[in-house]
Amino acid sequence: MGELNLHPPEHPRFPSESERIQDPHRSPTEHERNILDVFMRYKQVPDFEKLSAPTNEQLEAASARIEEIAGQPADSLKDQDERVLDLLRLISDFPEVFGKVGYFLAAEIMNAAKNNIETSEFRRAFFKEYEPMMPQIREYLRNAANLRRRGTTVKYSPNNVPEGQWGTPERRAAAKEQMELVQGLPDYYVMEKFWRTLEIVCSYPDFFTKEQFDQLATRKGIEQAWKAHLAKARQDFTYYKSILHTGKLFRQMVDSALDVLRTIIKERRDPSEGQSLQ
């Protein structure tokens, strides 16, 4: 029945180009270059003592950028990388406005988001491929579970043959046709082929012996393969839910940081407060 493949078309590997994305020798994407550009801004910290006080124009421009970031709609992917990068760009664009407090805040955010941002290509590719496939995956697993249930409850018995129809040419032709359809399935349908074959053998005891049924029914590995298949499905779904949860956490983190930046600007508008924060 072929080698087991846990990633048939109904339940493919996510993301499909995972090996290429995880290749450390590949060329960086534009998104990854943007990440590097933002992180490199913080390699050299300004001499805050030598910075002049922010102008009103700088305060207003920084304030407008804050509200622009705050107004971005919730997005599970963008909230945990692009929105974070927007915040980091904002702080680095206005060192006179945000000063040491802003750079300390940026360092904390970079530390919290570093791993998430560096692995964003894999996560983004997974999410974009997996989310639209969820209905098909659920239906596939539901159908496979029903088929497994049927296969495990089927019994081999001569009584399965309607009276007077034992060994008829019509039944022989039907059995042959069903077996050909099952065997014509691709090898990655290993579990479906097994359960359907079991059903056919039990439905046509006039053409399949009890010994053949016993050999098929006691075949090792099918149940383990089914459990492995379910484990992969659960793993993918758990990862999907973790992306949603992480997106919410990062959105809250950025929102809290924006509140801090608003406070800094408010205090900067008071000259005495502004000097104390530099």
Side-chain angles (χ1 to χ4, degrees), residues 1 176-187 193-194 196-197 200:
M1 291 189 181
K176 181 180 179 182
E177 180 182 15
Q178 291 188 37
M179 287 297 293
E180 289 176 348
L181 290 174
V182 170
Q183 294 306 313
L185 291 172
D187 287 341
K193 291 174 76 170
F194 172 79
R196 289 195 182 280
T197 300
I200 295 171

Side-chain angles (χ1 to χ4, degrees), residues 203-223:
S203 298
Y204 296 93
D206 39 347
F207 301 111
F208 299 98
T209 66
K210 182 64 164 59
E211 289 73 16
Q212 289 175 314
F213 167 78
D214 290 338
Q215 290 178 358
L216 189 63
T218 57
R219 180 179 177 182
K220 298 179 180 179
I222 294 297
E223 192 66 19

Side-chain angles (χ1 to χ4, degrees), residues 2 22 27 38 52 55 65 76 87 124 128 137 148 161 189 197 208-209 218 224 227 235 263 271:
Q22 294 175 304
S27 300
V38 172
S52 58
T55 65
R65 289 269 296 278
S76 297
L87 176 66
R124 288 155 68 93
K128 289 178 180 179
I137 292 172
R148 173 181 175 271
V161 180
Y189 287 95
T197 300
F208 299 98
T209 66
T218 57
Q224 289 86 340
K227 290 178 180 179
Q235 182 184 39
T263 301

Side-chain angles (χ1 to χ4, degrees), residues 110-152:
M110 289 171 67
N111 184 58
K114 185 174 184 294
N115 180 70
N116 228 51
I117 288 180
E118 289 180 347
T119 60
S120 65
E121 286 301 310
F122 182 93
R123 185 176 60 257
R124 288 155 68 93
F126 174 92
F127 191 90
K128 289 178 180 179
E129 291 185 29
Y130 181 81
E131 188 172 44
M133 284 290 292
M134 286 182 64
Q136 295 94 312
I137 292 172
R138 286 198 177 102
E139 183 64 20
Y140 164 67
L141 292 174
R142 187 181 301 111
N143 291 339
N146 290 336
L147 188 60
R148 173 181 175 271
R149 191 176 302 111
R150 284 165 42 188
T152 55

